Amino acid sequence: MSFNWDALLLGAASFLIIGLFHPLVIKGEYYFGKGIWPWFLAAGLGFLLAAAVCPWSFVAVLLALVAFSCFWSIKELFEQEQRVKRGWFPANPKRRR
């Protein structure tokens, strides 16, 4: 029986990627508002394209994880705006609403 290190590394990488995108969404909405969603879309499409043409499966999966985290972040940006309106997160006083 051999140990599947790739699966463990990809699981840990997905945990880290999700953990990195959480504050990205919060800080992105705080400083720029939900209007940055096209940047997440463009980044997601770029990472998805890179995953589609990458010859190494392990790297392709990592790129796809980042791509779909970017896509999910678009949804989270709009939800973060609602969380700020409810008072669950601070609003940026220097940014116009």
Side-chain angles (χ1 to χ4, degrees):
M1 181 174 138
S2 66
F3 215 63
N4 190 349
W5 287 104
D6 282 353
L8 293 175
L9 291 173
L10 288 171
S14 65
F15 183 74
L16 291 172
I17 290 167
I18 291 167
L20 289 173
F21 271 84
H22 180 70
L24 259 178
V25 167
I26 293 170
K27 295 294 185 185
E29 194 284 329
Y30 182 83
Y31 289 109
F32 305 108
K34 69 180 179 197
I36 62 169
W37 73 265
W39 290 99
F40 279 101
L41 178 62
L45 291 173
F47 280 108
L48 194 61
L49 178 63
V53 299
C54 183
W56 305 289
S57 295
F58 185 85
V59 176
V61 171
L62 287 176
L63 291 168
L65 282 169
V66 174
F68 283 95
S69 292
C70 287
F71 297 146
W72 187 263
S73 294
I74 295 169
K75 173 191 164 303
E76 285 296 318
L77 273 172
F78 287 88
E79 289 184 5
Q80 180 65 17
E81 180 186 50
Q82 294 305 311
R83 291 188 283 264
V84 170
K85 284 181 182 176
R86 290 183 192 120
W88 298 351
F89 284 84
N92 186 347
K94 296 179 183 175
R95 190 171 51 90
R96 262 190 10 211
R97 296 242 166 228

